[in-house]
Amino acid sequence: MKKLVFLACLAAWTVLGCDGDVEPISGGGGTGGAAGSSGTAGAAGIGGGAGQAGGGGAGGSGQGGQAGTAGSSGQGGSSGQGGQAGSAGSGGQAGSAGAAGACGQCQALEDCGKLGLCVAKTVVLPPAFGIDATEVTRSQYEAWLATTPSTAGQPAACTWNNAFAPDATCMAKASVCKGSGCGNHPQVCIDECDAVAYCTAVGKRVCGAIGGGVVILQDDPTKSEWYNACTSGGVNDFVYGDGSKAGTCNDYLTFTTTTVPVGSMTGCQSATAGYTGVYDLIGNVWEWEENCNAVSADPTEDICQPRGFSYGMGAAMPMCSGANYAKRAEYDDNIGFRCCSSP
Ligand SMILES: [Ca+2]
Ligand SMILES: [Ca+2]
């Protein structure tokens, strides 16, 4: 009898040991996925080079390959790169021919996006919208700036915006990460129109109304994409649950003085099925939302209400409701953003 009980426990422990792990946030570990096959050769140019291989499947389910890149004109076709190793994923599908540009090695919480840029990974939440798994990082934003985006063609509320570069004085503040190793920290010191321009350029939008558009501060999970994600569809007051937990997010309860790499506080995500995998909705940096309100004819004076609190000290409880206050043209060392999209 004793022996039987011991064996049952051993069996139960074994099952938990096999299946109890939470999904890793980094792509490391596990068996590498097979390299993707070469994409279709680019159409442009004489003898276009082979497209890039698709990335390996990630996180067990195995994603399709990334879009390949068009060959450079006039050159003999070079072979596509091998797919990135995924964690126990199946081999990536062949990449299709894509636009010029190459993602290179995107990270586990990144996708290869438009313009050949590594962008924050899209997580699809109910009812049906995509939201970035992380705040937009310094390296992601800098890679976009390196494409020398034009300031022409911005929305009417942003025609005053003559530069997308983060404000240099703001970036020099002691609270902003310095030197190498800051690439995975959230981009700060950018105004609301810079956020709009970045998200638009990579085929997304600054989070706003579910399905797109402006949502004037709504603590309503049926209206605001950001609030829906943070509350797991209206279930929780905090992204990680219904009660506050110090040390879970980089927020006022944790008493930090600067940003941390996005997604590095692994508990700072929803534990509710269907809403997991979106990090730092609470804390790290406030996030611009498409919730700006015109108060005069001058759009630089529009009042926006960034979401989710930040590192540092503050009086308010860092929860999904509540918001900051910033003019559309302002920027700060604790305000960043993430993008949403239509899946
Ligand atoms: Ca700007
Ligand atoms: Ca945040």
Side-chain angles (χ1 to χ4, degrees):
M1 188 65 179
K2 245 180 176 174
K3 190 173 178 185
L4 278 176
V5 170
F6 172 77
L7 286 174
C9 290
L10 183 64
W13 181 88
T14 303
V15 169
L16 286 171
C18 290
D19 297 339
D21 291 345
V22 295
E23 187 178 1
I25 64 152
S26 85
T31 305
S37 56
S38 294
T40 307
I46 303 165
Q52 276 198 335
S61 59
Q63 294 185 337
Q66 317 276 1
T69 58
S72 50
S73 62
Q75 299 294 321
S78 55
S79 59
Q81 293 179 1
Q84 294 175 25
S87 53
S90 57
Q93 296 171 4
S96 57
C103 283
Q105 298 285 307
C106 296
Q107 300 180 51
L109 291 175
E110 291 181 330
D111 291 328
C112 178
K114 248 178 116 174
L115 308 175
L117 299 175
C118 293
V119 298
K121 188 181 191 66
T122 295
V123 177
V124 177
L125 301 185
F129 67 94
I131 186 166
D132 285 356
T134 68
E135 295 148 340
V136 173
T137 67
R138 300 251 303 255
S139 63
Q140 288 162 4
Y141 195 82
E142 284 162 11
W144 171 63
L145 287 182
T147 68
T148 58
S150 168
T151 55
Q154 294 181 79
C158 293
T159 52
W160 54 269
N161 186 23
N162 58 13
F164 297 137
D167 181 79
T169 304
C170 178
M171 290 295 287
K173 289 185 178 179
S175 52
V176 179
C177 181
K178 302 292 191 312
S180 60
C182 298
N184 284 339
H185 285 245
Q187 181 65 60
V188 291
C189 302
I190 35 79
D191 55 64
E192 200 266 348
C193 290
D194 300 332
V196 168
Y198 173 88
C199 290
T200 303
V202 298
K204 302 184 182 185
R205 57 177 182 260
V206 171
C207 297
I210 289 178
V214 175
V215 59
I216 300 303
L217 189 65
Q218 288 281 356
D219 285 347
D220 182 340
T222 68
K223 294 195 168 68
S224 161
E225 292 169 327
W226 191 96
Y227 189 77
N228 176 293
C230 188
T231 60
S232 301
V235 171
N236 295 321
D237 283 345
F238 299 82
V239 68
Y240 45 77
D242 215 20
S244 65
K245 278 195 293 184
T248 308
C249 296
N250 184 24
D251 61 15
Y252 297 172
L253 298 172
T254 307
F255 303 122
T256 50
T257 57
T258 186
T259 53
V260 296
V262 299
S264 62
M265 297 187 76
T266 55
C268 191
Q269 61 170 311
S270 174
T272 302
Y275 289 89
T276 60
V278 185
Y279 298 90
D280 307 313
L281 284 161
I282 295 296
N284 216 14
V285 290
W286 293 93
E287 300 172 25
W288 290 112
E289 186 185 40
E290 277 285 21
N291 63 12
C292 306
N293 220 346
V295 293
S296 73
D298 178 359
T300 66
E301 296 289 320
D302 290 357
I303 299 303
C304 312
Q305 299 186 80
R307 293 284 204 164
F309 298 83
S310 71
Y311 66 87
M313 298 285 289
M317 180 62 79
M319 56 204 303
C320 296
S321 59
N324 201 339
Y325 173 100
K327 292 179 182 177
R328 194 189 290 275
E330 288 180 334
Y331 43 81
D332 210 342
D333 59 344
N334 64 359
I335 303 178
F337 68 106
R338 79 179 67 214
C339 309
C340 285
S341 54
S342 296

